[in-house]
Amino acid sequence: MYIYDDFDHTIAKQRVAEFRDQVNRRIKGELTEEQFRPLRLMNGLYLQLHAYMLRIAVPYGTLSAAQMRKLAHIARVYDRGYGHFTTRQNIQYNWIKLEQVPDLMAELATVQLHGNQTSGNCVRNVTADHFSGVIDGEIEDPRIVSEAIRQWSTFHPEFSWLPRKFKIAVTGAEKDRAAVQWHDIGLHIVRDDAGEVGYAVYVGGGMGRIPVLATKVRGFLPKRELLSYLEAILRVYNRYGRRDNIHKARIKILVRDLGPEEFIRQVEEEWEASRHSGVNLPPEEEIRIARYFEPPAYEKIAVPVAAFEDAKKANRAFAQWISTNVHPHKTPGYAIVTISLKPIGGIPGDASAEQMEAVASLAERFSLAEIRVSHIQNLVLPHVRQADLFAVWQELGKIGFANANAGLVTDIIACPGLDYCSLANARSIPVAQRISERFADLDRQHKIGALQIKISGCINACGHHHAGHIGILGVDKAGQEFYQLTLGGAGDETASTGQLIGPGFSSDGIVDAVEKVIDAYLDLRQPNETFISAYRRVGPAPFKEKLYGVSR
Amino acid sequence: MSKADTPKVLTGNLLRNGATVYYTGSGWSAHVAEAQVAATAAEAEELRKIGAAAYAANLVIDVNVVDVQPTAEHRPTHIREVIRATGPTVRPDLNKSMSPG
């Protein structure tokens, strides 16, 4: 894991001191709310329905066990005993008191954590594949460049007041687990014909009111030139992105309005003028950062591991969990474990202080003290010996996190929705809970197979409904919660935007509607055909018919 | 949406701790049942003025006048305000009642 240098530690401490002073002045009345609001947002502090909410960055989704323990401590001391892992690999707390935030932040800073870049119109916390560095077939660990981007973008003076927020995601494997095409900038690490490592650069993706898949602006950008190229993109956006209309302020609108060709031309022109400015990462600095992400000292393990193979044969529930929640590791004898934060009927992404501490202990015992946060609102133990999997599974069972549902119908993404969020129009979590309960039967879930349901409580789309195989959007219809259904979205390398299937459903009707869609799929699927493949083959018609009848 | 003939209460969040509170006529309560109710447009306007003054005095933020039902409990008419008054529906263990005690 990356370890802060003196410079990082100093700016983190200075930021805490600065915010402590700002909070004191606000409480004394020396700052008005209008003056204070942008300052608190820069530190990740929002006001929600019931209290302040603090969002803490987990850069590229990597946490140490010590950091997880600190997050548990924060939940217990400063909140009501739990936190919520978000769709941007962050964690947020729901019951924060303004007057306690400076002390809370000082505690976070002792373990390299903070709320910087989790709000405001800046370059937000960079996200990456949650299997970075451990999945087979990766060209390069995307966290190396993500860390460079973190350093470059932190408090970047030119890009602290962009027209709107700006999200960058990086993936290093062929399979895209970071949804790069849905980001303002998506970087896909690739090799050119000569074998040199670089980036396919995507720009202008985004969800929200106007869902847009990113435009590939470069098939191959040499690695050493990345930061100057990012700077050129941001400079064009900063100069010409709209500031007059918040709904048209994201870079996706600029790319659309200029047209991709003209946008690319402007970026390239800016880049020609600035690419030799010295912003690019010096090779020795890249080597320094990369050293922190070198593979740990794995044991040499002979495979197959008999104890593991025997346990799978002897225990069907364990084998079922292996089939969904365990991925092959690039190192023989090891495995990647997805910890499902989606117990049946539970709140997607929520974890109590006790659960966080138990995960930290498991990471220390079984995963070289490392944890990942996924944008699917699950946690990952990235370095587990196959021989330890059975013990890990049993321990997870004790804290309710051993559900064998990763990637299945009950592995639902849901934003906090109207239960917490001041922007929401409808609740998301109760819909997720009812769908989860409807499909609680694990054999049924495994029979349905890979299926991503994503639920947002408003058009801002924090629940990624546009990218859901089945997407649900909550709206306010004459004071009542109402839910629109979209089908066919995807967030991976085959990214697509879900399409509205027809008239929406009441809160009571939405779960039945989801079940009808799934029943229609089961009726028409071909052998081994996933939901998204089937939808792409047959289109919306059979689903419409099942939902609304032939006449519609 | 707010309707002119619906009873109204003044609500906000305390600056220091963010807690959702209601104006009682003399102070602020966590319970909507204790809120002072405006029955007329003129009374609602008076609540708005009190809210603006409390905001200017850095006591509360996110100040709003919201519709409630004409019952003793002053149950808000919109679900958003019901959830603000009682807490997240998915965590009944953390909820507060509309009435004190």
Side-chain angles (χ1 to χ4, degrees):
Chain A
M1 278 191 56
Y2 188 73
I3 306 293
Y4 274 10
D5 61 13
D6 285 348
F7 181 77
D8 280 312
H9 274 300
T10 301
I11 63 170
K13 279 186 201 151
Q14 283 175 345
R15 175 49 82 96
V16 173
E18 180 184 66
F19 193 57
R20 188 182 293 280
D21 178 58
Q22 289 163 346
V23 169
N24 286 340
R25 285 154 65 205
R26 175 69 187 113
I27 287 173
K28 279 193 253 170
E30 293 169 12
L31 292 174
T32 65
E33 187 62 15
E34 286 80 6
Q35 291 166 330
F36 181 65
R37 190 172 174 275
L39 302 176
R40 69 167 158 78
L41 288 176
M42 277 188 206
N43 291 279
L45 189 65
Y46 292 70
L47 181 71
Q48 295 286 36
L49 294 181
H50 313 294
Y52 292 96
M53 176 272 277
L54 182 65
R55 186 178 293 152
I56 295 164
V58 181
Y60 36 87
T62 296
L63 275 178
S64 69
Q67 288 174 322
M68 185 65 98
R69 283 192 190 284
K70 182 61 81 177
L71 293 176
H73 169 80
I74 299 292
R76 191 173 284 128
V77 173
Y78 296 95
D79 204 88
R80 296 194 178 179
Y82 66 107
H84 176 75
F85 290 97
T86 77
T87 55
R88 295 209 74 254
Q89 299 183 311
N90 296 319
I91 181 168
Q92 56 196 43
Y93 295 98
N94 303 298
W95 303 93
I96 296 297
K97 297 178 171 69
L98 176 63
E99 50 201 0
Q100 293 184 341
V101 172
D103 288 346
L104 189 173
M105 286 185 164
E107 292 213 43
L108 285 177
T110 63
V111 292
Q112 297 191 190
L113 289 173
H114 52 73
N116 303 330
Q117 295 176 283
T118 63
S119 178
N121 294 336
C122 60
V123 178
R124 296 290 186 89
N125 183 38
V126 59
T127 54
D129 183 355
H130 42 272
F131 292 165
S132 295
V134 290
I135 194 78
D136 203 17
E138 198 173 62
I139 292 173
E140 187 178 282
D141 187 333
R143 295 175 303 165
I144 300 166
V145 68
S146 297
E147 173 57 26
I149 293 169
R150 184 193 72 78
Q151 294 184 21
W152 162 78
S153 63
T154 296
F155 305 152
H156 195 302
E158 186 179 342
F159 305 134
S160 288
W161 299 97
L162 295 166
R164 197 79 176 85
K165 59 188 169 184
F166 202 91
K167 299 173 181 177
I168 302 177
V170 192
T171 194
E174 195 176 330
K175 174 103 187 126
D176 176 13
R177 277 170 293 265
V180 299
Q181 293 180 55
W182 282 107
H183 284 75
D184 294 287
I185 293 178
L187 300 174
H188 205 146
I189 300 175
V190 293
R191 275 187 207 281
D192 69 1
D193 294 339
E196 195 193 341
V197 173
Y199 307 98
V201 181
Y202 295 84
V203 178
M207 298 194 187
R209 196 170 298 260
I210 305 168
V212 184
L213 288 174
T215 300
K216 193 194 250 190
V217 298
R218 272 212 161 224
F220 184 84
L221 178 74
K223 194 166 142 177
R224 64 183 179 284
E225 303 217 70
L226 178 70
L227 292 183
S228 63
Y229 197 78
L230 294 184
E231 192 171 77
I233 293 168
L234 274 149
R235 202 164 271 164
V236 169
Y237 170 55
N238 207 18
R239 197 181 293 148
Y240 297 119
R242 286 182 64 167
R243 293 174 189 268
D244 62 321
N245 182 339
I246 192 175
H247 302 308
K248 297 185 175 174
R250 295 288 289 270
I251 195 173
K252 64 190 175 188
I253 303 298
L254 180 66
V255 175
R256 186 192 72 181
D257 288 354
L258 288 176
E261 295 77 19
E262 174 59 14
F263 175 80
I264 292 167
R265 190 195 67 73
Q266 293 195 14
V267 168
E268 296 282 329
E269 186 178 275
E270 177 61 42
W271 191 45
E272 279 310 315
S274 63
R275 66 192 287 193
H276 304 295
S277 67
V279 68
N280 286 324
L281 200 63
E284 60 274 19
E285 177 63 8
E286 197 216 316
I287 291 166
R288 188 190 72 82
I289 293 174
R291 203 168 293 140
Y292 289 102
F293 297 100
E294 276 173 9
Y298 295 117
E299 295 170 28
K300 284 209 167 21
I301 298 172
V303 287
V305 177
F308 168 57
E309 300 300 333
D310 291 348
K312 268 197 295 188
K313 280 181 200 128
N315 190 317
R316 183 164 174 271
F318 175 61
Q320 218 165 19
W321 179 75
I322 294 290
S323 73
T324 48
N325 292 46
V326 174
H327 280 76
H329 195 284
K330 67 180 183 186
T331 309
Y334 281 81
I336 308 167
V337 169
T338 298
I339 301 174
S340 169
L341 303 195
K342 318 289 173 64
I344 294 302
I347 298 175
D350 269 20
S352 69
E354 293 71 26
Q355 287 168 324
M356 289 185 222
E357 279 166 351
V359 169
S361 295
L362 285 176
E364 283 160 350
R365 283 174 65 194
F366 299 115
S367 182
L368 305 174
E370 194 180 317
I371 300 154
R372 306 290 176 78
V373 183
S374 82
H375 82 269
I376 306 152
Q377 301 179 288
N378 290 319
L379 298 174
V380 173
L381 296 175
H383 315 287
V384 180
R385 293 185 309 183
Q386 289 180 6
D388 293 331
L389 284 169
F390 191 76
V392 167
W393 176 67
Q394 287 189 309
E395 291 296 319
L396 287 173
K398 292 177 188 167
I399 57 169
F401 282 170
N403 209 348
N405 65 347
L408 302 183
V409 56
T410 61
D411 186 8
I412 300 168
I413 284 183
C415 72
L418 192 56
D419 280 297
Y420 293 98
C421 179
S422 63
L423 299 175
N425 292 318
R427 284 173 291 172
S428 305
I429 297 167
V431 175
Q433 290 175 312
R434 286 188 286 127
I435 294 172
S436 172
E437 282 158 2
R438 179 73 62 91
F439 291 94
D441 179 55
L442 204 52
D443 288 336
R444 186 180 179 199
Q445 289 188 53
H446 280 252
K447 184 180 156 213
I448 293 165
L451 176 57
Q452 297 172 5
I453 299 181
K454 302 180 198 261
I455 309 173
S456 303
C458 81
I459 194 63
N460 290 306
C462 295
H464 296 180
H465 65 278
H466 296 302
H469 299 160
I470 298 176
I472 297 172
L473 168 64
V475 298
D476 179 332
K477 191 175 175 189
Q480 298 294 316
E481 294 168 295
F482 205 68
Y483 296 90
Q484 296 180 347
L485 197 58
T486 59
L487 300 181
D492 62 2
E493 65 282 0
T494 68
S496 54
T497 305
Q499 300 300 314
L500 191 65
I501 190 73
F505 300 89
S506 69
S507 179
D508 286 340
I510 185 65
V511 179
D512 289 339
V514 167
E515 190 168 31
K516 281 183 184 173
V517 166
I518 291 171
D519 285 344
Y521 152 67
L522 292 174
D523 286 347
L524 61 78
R525 74 173 171 188
Q526 295 174 349
N528 300 317
E529 192 176 40
T530 61
F531 178 89
I532 188 67
S533 300
Y535 180 82
R536 285 172 177 166
R537 176 173 58 82
V538 301
F543 299 95
K544 271 188 187 168
E545 190 181 315
K546 187 87 176 179
L547 284 166
Y548 306 110
V550 183
S551 60
R552 300 290 281 269
Chain B
M1 289 296 104
S2 183
K3 293 195 183 83
D5 55 351
T6 309
K8 293 178 192 342
V9 301
L10 173 62
T11 182
N13 294 75
L14 290 178
L15 169 67
R16 280 171 174 268
N17 62 19
T20 302
V21 289
Y22 300 87
Y23 182 66
T24 64
S26 58
W28 298 83
S29 166
H31 304 286
V32 66
E34 294 189 319
Q36 175 180 318
V37 175
T40 66
E43 286 173 6
E45 190 50 37
E46 195 54 36
L47 284 184
R48 281 191 192 92
K49 282 183 189 160
I50 292 165
Y55 178 82
N58 302 307
L59 189 64
V60 288
I61 55 176
D62 201 18
V63 180
N64 280 297
V65 168
V66 300
D67 291 354
V68 296
Q69 293 175 4
T71 60
E73 206 177 37
H74 308 154
R75 184 183 178 84
T77 57
H78 196 279
I79 182 170
R80 178 183 197 272
E81 291 302 323
V82 172
I83 291 171
R84 276 188 78 241
T86 51
T89 63
V90 293
R91 289 298 301 260
D93 55 322
L94 301 178
N95 284 8
K96 62 182 180 184
S97 60
M98 294 196 193
S99 307

